[in-house]
Amino acid sequence: MSQAIQKTLRDSAGMRWTALLLLALAMFCSYIFMDILSPIKDLMQETRGWDSTAFGTMQGSEVFLNVFAFFLIFAGIILDKMGVRFTAVLSAVVMLVGAVIKWYAVSESFMGSGLEQWFTDNLNYIPLFDELGVSPFYEGMPASAKFAASGFMIFGCGCEMAGITVSRGIVKWFKGREMALAMGSEMALARLGVATCMIFSPFFARLGGHVSVTRSVAFGVVLMCIALIMTIVYFFMDRKLDAQTGEAEEKDDPFKVSDIGKILSDGGFWLVALLCVLYYSAIFPFQKYAVNMLQCNLTLTPPAADSFWASSEVTIIQYVIMLIVAAAGFASNFQKKANLKYGLLGLSIAALVVYCYMGFMRQSAESIFAVFPLLAVLITPILGSYVDHKGKAASMLVLGSLLLIACHLTFAFILPLFKGSAVGGIVIAYITILVLGSSFSLVPASLWPSVPKLVDAKVIGSAYALIFWIQNIGLWLFPLLIGKVLDATNPGVTDPTQFNYTAPLVMLACLGVAALILGLVLKVVDRKRGLGLEEPNIK
């Protein structure tokens, strides 16, 4: 029997990591599509007439069905009943359907069609949702934005389903093995999708000197086709594993309505849930406007059209350098030999400097913001290991909130002071973006491992489901709010590179202040109740 077990796919390191790579690549592709329009907000206004309110409403629609139709809960039920491999393929199919709809919505074929006229004439009033002020559409919203929002809602259902499915798949393949490393690696690769999107979405939109936002979304659709292929391959690998072990697919306890009262009466749950929604609402919605914010606050002079820095080749080179930064930095965390560890770390830092220099020479807001996840990829394993061995999770939450506040206030008040300085503004932008990326790692590394210490173990699965649902409320609301605040504080501004972002950034900083207060409260609660948040996970 032991010999049979040794021959299973799960016992082969190569096959385990292949399964992880398939799932991680699917998430990598979904992260790219998630923000595919973010770095070309200015082009959406110029070519499709989307003002900031339309753009924000469309971006917030991604999680609308998860929040208001409770699809997030249904996704958990589907996963529980049907297992990992079925749900993985289903999530990829749903994401692809939504992606295709969004692509058609922004395409030239949609313009002037009968479908465009229908969306212009309809969905201007949604009973109850309009009264509550939470409608995903509004009167006067461009038809292309309405239809794109419809597709993005469908994509968001599949994306959320994929997120919880990938976590279950990693547990299945790595239980008792390198699970923490596997989860960290999947998260790192997924976050690289954000940087990839920032670099290649504008690249395809401006390819050949002719602006076409359709090409950018088509690039995302191709990636979603690749994601579907990855999940299909995983389907057969996973089925073979079950055939070898003779095991049925693992299933968690399903979400129970009876658990809600028990969870909602727990003060620890509310601290974690509110910290989660405040922190992530200050990060993910910001990503959707960050490139346009930099365009409005930096003095960027495009290089000559015939220069190397304006060529398509430099985009590929810069992306390769970015991969070197991420791969070398991430790998340095797991080297036992000091010379190899610091050699890889030095290579990562050197490549990061080269990347930043290239971003400066390209005078590209998209490539400047693309450094955002790079420091996160580097330090996420460090922070996770620190919490495991040293503790201080609650203190990390406080520090992460302080960094979040400082970064948004720097964008709001310090960066505009350097608008006339071509070098100074970009240096301030790079430093602030990298620090924001580090805070992006700091809080999740300490927040999620703390949940089991705060919530009764009997309802931990249900608690996570509710936390994700509450988080999705913020991810729906704040892209919409940023757009509305931006339009309200910039009346008559039609040039998408001349907006004043002070008010939206102060709003996001206020979320950080609220998170800081809750973090301090959490430290007090931890001290009084002896929850052990400041203690290491490994004793």
Side-chain angles (χ1 to χ4, degrees):
M1 184 68 180
S2 60
Q3 281 186 322
I5 294 175
Q6 290 298 320
K7 293 179 182 179
T8 66
L9 295 179
R10 187 163 49 199
D11 292 296
S12 165
M15 298 309 291
R16 279 199 309 276
W17 286 94
T18 298
L20 174 73
L21 183 62
L22 292 170
L23 293 174
L25 282 174
M27 291 307 299
F28 172 78
C29 294
S30 70
Y31 266 56
I32 293 175
F33 192 85
M34 192 184 303
D35 279 317
I36 200 71
L37 295 182
S38 300
I40 54 173
K41 176 182 180 291
D42 57 326
L43 300 182
M44 296 309 299
Q45 180 163 340
E46 292 171 2
T47 64
R48 296 297 183 270
W50 293 13
D51 60 12
S52 295
T53 299
F55 183 82
T57 303
M58 192 285 303
Q59 293 283 41
S61 68
E62 179 198 352
V63 296
F64 182 84
L65 292 178
N66 289 323
V67 172
F68 295 103
F70 302 101
F71 187 83
L72 180 59
I73 306 300
F74 295 135
I77 295 172
I78 293 170
L79 176 59
D80 179 67
K81 298 298 182 184
M82 304 303 296
V84 173
R85 55 178 174 266
F86 172 87
T87 313
V89 175
L90 177 62
S91 65
V93 170
V94 172
M95 285 193 290
L96 179 58
V97 170
V100 170
I101 292 173
K102 187 173 179 178
W103 164 77
Y104 183 69
V106 302
S107 70
E108 285 75 11
S109 300
F110 179 75
M111 300 169 67
S113 66
L115 192 58
E116 181 187 37
Q117 188 60 50
W118 188 90
F119 272 91
T120 300
D121 298 336
N122 295 279
L123 300 180
N124 294 312
Y125 171 73
I126 311 295
L128 184 61
F129 287 101
D130 270 273
E131 280 73 16
L132 294 174
V134 297
S135 177
F137 313 109
Y138 60 87
E139 189 169 1
M141 185 176 181
S144 58
K146 287 182 185 176
F147 195 32
S150 303
F152 210 25
M153 288 179 201
I154 296 172
F155 170 85
C157 292
C159 190
E160 199 68 44
M161 186 190 295
I164 59 176
T165 303
V166 167
S167 297
R168 177 81 67 80
I170 292 174
V171 170
K172 180 174 183 176
W173 282 79
F174 286 85
K175 190 173 183 179
R177 297 176 175 86
E178 322 94 323
M179 190 186 301
L181 177 59
M183 288 191 170
S185 301
E186 185 275 326
M187 183 183 296
L189 183 57
R191 286 180 177 175
L192 280 179
V194 178
T196 304
C197 170
M198 296 299 163
I199 290 177
F200 282 105
S201 179
F203 170 76
F204 283 110
R206 296 186 174 94
L207 190 64
H210 171 66
V211 173
S212 172
V213 296
T214 309
R215 283 197 298 260
S216 293
V217 186
F219 165 64
V221 171
V222 171
L223 290 176
M224 295 319 303
C225 292
I226 294 173
L228 176 58
I229 294 171
M230 296 296 102
T231 58
I232 291 172
V233 176
Y234 173 82
F235 179 97
F236 289 105
M237 283 188 66
D238 193 84
R239 189 169 69 173
K240 185 173 182 180
L241 174 64
D242 282 353
Q244 290 177 333
T245 60
E247 299 172 356
E249 288 203 80
E250 296 181 16
K251 298 178 174 63
D252 290 342
D253 291 335
F255 181 89
K256 301 181 182 67
V257 176
S258 60
D259 290 338
I260 294 179
K262 187 184 299 184
I263 295 168
L264 296 183
S265 63
D266 191 313
F269 164 80
W270 281 110
L271 285 173
V272 172
L274 291 175
L275 272 168
C276 177
V277 71
L278 288 169
Y279 187 79
Y280 281 96
S281 294
I283 291 288
F284 286 113
F286 170 71
Q287 285 180 191
K288 301 181 185 301
Y289 291 87
V291 170
N292 186 232
M293 183 275 295
L294 292 176
Q295 291 170 337
C296 296
N297 286 305
L298 294 176
T299 301
L300 300 172
T301 305
D306 59 349
S307 72
F308 167 73
W309 299 109
S311 66
S312 57
E313 290 81 6
V314 73
T315 302
I316 307 300
I317 294 171
Q318 193 178 22
Y319 185 65
V320 171
I321 292 173
M322 185 194 76
L323 293 180
I324 294 172
V325 175
F330 187 77
S332 69
N333 289 290
F334 308 101
Q335 305 304 316
K336 295 182 179 179
K337 295 182 178 179
N339 58 344
L340 187 57
K341 177 183 180 70
Y342 292 111
L344 285 170
L345 186 59
L347 174 62
S348 179
I349 293 172
L352 179 60
V353 172
V354 173
Y355 177 92
C356 291
Y357 172 75
M358 294 183 72
F360 169 75
M361 293 302 294
R362 292 184 65 193
Q363 294 287 288
S364 164
E366 306 91 62
S367 63
I368 291 171
F369 185 71
V371 302
F372 172 68
L374 296 187
L375 194 58
V377 171
L378 171 62
I379 69 173
T380 295
I382 299 174
L383 295 174
S385 177
Y386 187 87
V387 172
D388 280 340
H389 295 90
K390 303 292 184 180
K392 305 297 181 184
S395 298
M396 279 193 176
L397 289 169
V398 171
L399 177 58
S401 299
L402 286 170
L403 292 176
L404 183 68
I405 296 166
C407 289
H408 283 312
L409 291 180
T410 299
F411 285 133
F413 298 108
I414 306 299
L415 188 60
L417 298 179
F418 288 82
K419 187 166 185 179
S421 173
V423 177
I426 291 179
V427 170
I428 293 294
Y430 271 135
I431 294 172
T432 310
I433 292 166
L434 286 169
V435 172
L436 186 64
S438 68
S439 75
F440 185 40
S441 288
L442 201 61
V443 173
S446 52
L447 181 66
W448 297 119
S450 300
V451 175
K453 297 179 181 179
L454 293 166
V455 179
D456 189 340
K458 295 180 180 178
V459 295
I460 189 69
S462 301
Y464 270 122
L466 277 175
I467 289 172
F468 284 133
W469 180 74
I470 293 171
Q471 174 187 317
N472 271 243
I473 295 175
L475 299 185
W476 158 76
L477 177 63
F478 280 93
L480 173 63
L481 281 182
I482 294 172
K484 287 183 176 294
V485 170
L486 204 54
D487 278 338
T489 55
N490 292 272
V493 177
T494 56
D495 186 344
T497 63
Q498 297 300 316
F499 288 119
N500 184 328
Y501 267 85
T502 303
L505 289 167
V506 169
M507 179 179 69
L508 296 176
C510 288
L511 294 177
V513 172
L516 173 62
I517 293 171
L518 284 178
L520 293 172
V521 171
L522 186 60
K523 283 178 67 74
V524 173
V525 171
D526 174 54
R527 193 179 301 116
K528 288 183 176 180
R529 292 173 52 182
L531 298 172
L533 297 181
E534 296 287 84
E535 297 177 6
N537 293 326
I538 299 174
K539 300 180 181 180

